[in-house]
Amino acid sequence: MPSHHHHRSTPLLSSATSTSSSSQSFLSKLLLLLILLPLSLAALAFVLQWRGGGVSDPTITTSGAYSRWAPRGSHHEVFPGMETFSTLSPKSHSSSDCINLGRSSSPSLPYYGDWKFGFEANLRPKICITTSTSAGLEQILPWMFYHKVIGVTTFFLFVEGHAASPNVSKVLESIPGVKVIYRTRELEEQQAKSRIWNETWLSTFFYKPCNYELFVKQSLNMEMAIVMARDAGMDWILHLDTDELIHPAGAREYSLRQLLLDVPSNVDMVIFPNYESSVERDDIKDPFTEVSMFKKNYDHLPKETYFGMYKESTRGNPNYFLTYGNGKAAARIQDHLRPNGAHRWHNYMKTPNEIKLEEAAVLHYTYAKFSDLTSRRDRCGCKPTKEDVKRCFMLEFDRAAFIIASTATEEEMLNWYREHVVWGDKDLRLKLLRKGILTRIYAPTAIIQGLRESGVFSSVIANAPSTISKEKFLASIDSSNSSRVVPLASHASRKIGRNRQRQPSVRKVLEIEAGAAYEEAAVPPLSPPAWTMTTLEQ
């Protein structure tokens, strides 16, 4: 029996041993496969790259890579910042204009394409911006190219002061899509013939100094820009100052073009409520890249939040915002369009159909630098008295700032600036951020810093011509400015804001049906709604 039992168990033992050996063999083969597979793929990739079978790297400096990846029709067909700037011939320019523009050869943002931003001709809508400025390149170039990134193709720059100097204007004139208009005697004579002087909607701003004079000048420039925009085939026009950036929130992409493309065709005007910069330091040098906190507009806040936090938001200042609070507007180019002051547009034949955007905004970098106190003061020749500043400024904070800048010492001005402008109280900042009064917006900083690092600004400056030819812009508008009227003898000597006495003029009778909306008064810069006991009770 024992011997019989032994012979029956032997096959079972052999079977178990065989199974174990097979399993080990399978695992060994699997392990070998797992080791060889990635090695084989790596070897294949190496062979393909060595033989040139892979995709070209767009950052490799070969003409083939440029032609494959650069936008069609670009002049150099290279990415911004990929040029070797040390090989460029040096150009003379004002160091103050370029102090913050940077210099880099790193192709950190190749998706911007060529710095010339040559958009395809069939892209719609076509958007232009008009501005009146005396700023330098350190402010104008970041402002301009930021708006190019979000879809603006054309700029009408009415320049004077520093912006009209040869070192600045030669750069501006070299940029595709930019029209530079100088405040020459010819321009003033041309604008003296405008029909605006014979109408009443802007008349309350005539022949007054400082901000009132600027307001009239902006309106006259906007009137000319409308004609230029129509001749250039534009679809939309905006008026922005060079301390304002459009924030196209609410679109499917961060694009002003996409935002306006989605506007219904029956809408004539789109209003962007403004957000105001809220600086956290008193040593800001470059607001566009150093400021990320903004105070939201009344139109973008719940009424209860706005009035409930009103006193904490103003911190003893005259109003919720330091300056204006009624936003800026974009207008669809169409017949009979006219400006309605620097903040709005209107139409001689109808009341425009307008909408107010619920997310998009104008970011207004006002008093963002301490030096803004003195630079604003130096633009006006008013006396620093409560009575005289009312002739010069429309808003209370501007009046107070002018008096301080005109009468206080440097230390007193700095203390006043810290108290009224700088948000130094961290606890208050956090409280208002949680309530939604304050908000953080980083997109402009990222875009402008990316442009700087890509070498866009330094490339524009380096490639500007060494001499400037001031092409007279009047020829381009002389035959097309349909908004002008036949000049009156007294108009030729008219100077904006220089004559307090109303000069005699003949009222042009417009053949428009009675009741038309063409005489609606211009919209001035307005403060946001104020907190009162009546408001609180409502």
Side-chain angles (χ1 to χ4, degrees):
M1 283 297 290
S3 177
H4 176 71
H5 177 73
H6 174 76
H7 288 294
R8 289 183 59 189
S9 62
T10 298
L12 297 175
L13 182 60
S14 299
S15 176
T17 302
S18 176
T19 302
S20 175
S21 298
S22 300
S23 298
Q24 291 177 359
S25 176
F26 175 75
L27 290 174
S28 298
K29 293 178 179 178
L30 180 61
L31 182 61
L32 181 62
L33 179 63
L34 292 176
I35 293 172
L36 292 176
L37 182 60
L39 290 176
S40 301
L41 293 175
L44 178 62
F46 176 78
V47 171
L48 288 175
Q49 185 178 18
W50 178 71
R51 294 182 61 190
V55 177
S56 299
D57 184 347
T59 62
I60 297 174
T61 54
T62 63
S63 60
Y66 291 161
S67 62
R68 289 184 63 181
W69 293 91
R72 286 181 301 177
S74 59
H75 182 64
H76 297 294
E77 294 190 333
V78 295
F79 293 130
M82 292 180 65
E83 304 90 346
T84 305
F85 290 109
S86 59
T87 63
L88 296 172
S89 58
K91 307 281 185 177
S92 61
H93 53 266
S94 173
S95 59
S96 63
D97 288 333
C98 312
I99 188 170
N100 291 319
L101 297 182
R103 179 178 289 266
S104 171
S105 60
S106 171
S108 56
L109 288 175
Y111 51 84
Y112 282 129
D114 189 89
W115 67 264
K116 295 179 183 298
F117 288 80
F119 296 109
E120 298 289 344
N122 60 349
L123 287 179
R124 286 290 187 272
K126 288 188 175 181
I127 307 165
C128 66
I129 290 178
T130 181
T131 191
S132 303
T133 184
S134 59
L137 291 178
E138 77 283 352
Q139 181 167 332
I140 296 176
L141 289 185
W143 171 85
M144 180 186 297
F145 279 89
Y146 167 85
H147 287 106
K148 279 179 173 284
V149 168
I150 65 173
V152 178
T153 61
T154 306
F155 297 82
F156 302 115
L157 307 182
F158 290 80
V159 298
E160 54 186 300
H162 192 36
S165 65
N167 284 335
V168 176
S169 54
K170 71 178 182 182
V171 175
L172 299 178
E173 286 195 335
S174 71
I175 302 172
V178 174
K179 177 70 176 178
V180 180
I181 304 101
Y182 300 91
R183 180 149 288 278
T184 60
R185 177 177 297 179
E186 290 87 352
L187 172 65
E188 292 189 344
E189 290 177 353
Q190 187 80 352
Q191 291 186 338
K193 305 168 188 176
S194 168
R195 66 185 291 175
I196 288 177
W197 295 101
N198 291 328
E199 297 165 357
T200 61
W201 57 270
L202 194 62
S203 59
T204 56
F205 299 90
F206 290 163
Y207 312 117
K208 294 180 181 179
C210 204
N211 276 16
Y212 291 91
E213 178 181 356
L214 175 62
F215 195 74
V216 173
K217 191 183 298 181
Q218 288 173 328
S219 299
L220 292 168
N221 292 345
M222 291 164 69
E223 181 189 42
M224 284 187 161
I226 291 171
V227 178
M228 297 177 188
R230 186 182 61 214
D231 292 346
M234 295 292 108
D235 300 303
W236 289 90
I237 185 170
L238 296 92
H239 173 261
L240 291 179
D241 297 327
T242 53
D243 63 351
E244 298 171 329
L245 301 178
I246 291 290
H247 174 54
R252 286 173 288 173
E253 56 191 60
Y254 199 78
S255 165
L256 178 60
R257 178 184 284 118
Q258 184 64 58
L259 192 72
L260 295 178
L261 186 64
D262 294 338
V263 173
S265 59
N266 66 331
V267 172
D268 304 307
M269 186 164 62
V270 174
I271 298 172
F272 294 82
N274 62 293
Y275 290 7
E276 192 172 80
S277 60
S278 300
V279 299
E280 301 167 76
R281 309 192 323 267
D282 59 20
D283 60 347
I284 299 292
K285 301 300 181 185
D286 182 15
F288 290 156
T289 58
E290 295 182 63
V291 177
S292 64
M293 191 171 74
F294 298 86
K295 187 185 289 187
K296 295 178 73 172
N297 195 286
Y298 168 79
D299 291 319
H300 286 181
L301 288 169
K303 181 179 179 181
E304 297 76 14
T305 301
Y306 176 86
F307 289 113
M309 306 296 296
Y310 188 85
K311 288 188 175 181
E312 291 173 285
S313 301
T314 56
R315 300 182 302 153
N317 288 322
N319 293 293
Y320 174 79
F321 278 157
L322 302 182
T323 51
Y324 77 88
N326 54 330
K328 289 292 182 74
R332 197 184 296 274
I333 301 295
Q334 54 187 290
D335 293 340
H336 312 295
L337 180 67
R338 71 160 171 84
N340 200 32
H343 294 257
R344 293 292 188 273
W345 307 86
H346 211 270
N347 193 293
Y348 280 108
M349 297 299 292
K350 67 177 182 179
T351 299
N353 180 24
E354 66 181 49
I355 62 171
K356 187 174 291 184
L357 297 175
E358 297 180 354
E359 295 182 66
V362 171
L363 305 181
H364 186 200
Y365 295 78
T366 186
Y367 288 99
K369 297 186 292 185
F370 172 62
S371 60
D372 287 345
L373 284 178
T374 51
S375 62
R376 287 169 180 257
R377 174 201 65 194
D378 296 341
R379 291 199 296 263
C380 290
C382 295
K383 298 176 182 178
T385 63
K386 291 184 178 180
E387 294 75 22
D388 203 50
V389 293
K390 290 181 179 179
R391 294 190 309 110
C392 297
F393 301 98
M394 303 179 201
L395 299 172
E396 287 292 334
F397 187 86
D398 287 331
R399 297 170 181 173
F402 180 83
I403 292 175
I404 288 294
S406 302
T407 59
T409 65
E410 186 81 7
E411 183 178 357
E412 289 171 337
M413 276 195 295
L414 184 57
N415 290 333
W416 187 89
Y417 183 79
R418 288 169 177 166
E419 180 182 353
H420 292 271
V421 181
V422 179
W423 289 79
D425 188 334
K426 181 179 179 181
D427 292 335
L428 179 58
R429 291 200 310 263
L430 290 175
K431 182 178 181 180
L432 296 182
L433 281 166
R434 292 190 185 106
K435 293 289 185 179
I437 297 288
L438 297 175
T439 187
R440 295 281 184 184
I441 299 175
Y442 297 101
T445 296
I447 290 173
I448 292 173
Q449 192 61 38
L451 288 165
R452 178 178 290 112
E453 292 174 0
S454 295
V456 170
F457 306 141
S458 53
S459 178
V460 171
I461 294 170
N463 285 283
S466 56
T467 58
I468 179 174
S469 59
K470 288 194 175 182
E471 175 188 1
K472 298 301 181 182
F473 80 100
L474 291 175
S476 65
I477 63 170
D478 188 52
S479 62
S480 60
N481 193 349
S482 60
S483 65
R484 290 181 289 130
V485 297
V486 177
L488 299 171
S490 62
H491 286 166
S493 62
R494 180 181 279 128
K495 295 292 183 181
I496 302 171
R498 306 292 171 81
N499 186 348
R500 298 186 186 184
Q501 299 299 320
R502 182 77 178 265
Q503 298 190 25
S505 63
V506 178
R507 173 81 183 148
K508 178 177 171 59
V509 179
L510 301 175
E511 297 179 357
I512 316 178
E513 59 188 62
Y518 70 92
E519 285 299 323
E520 181 173 320
V523 177
L526 298 173
S527 296
W531 182 93
T532 63
M533 289 302 296
T534 304
T535 303
L536 186 63
E537 291 171 359
Q538 292 176 349

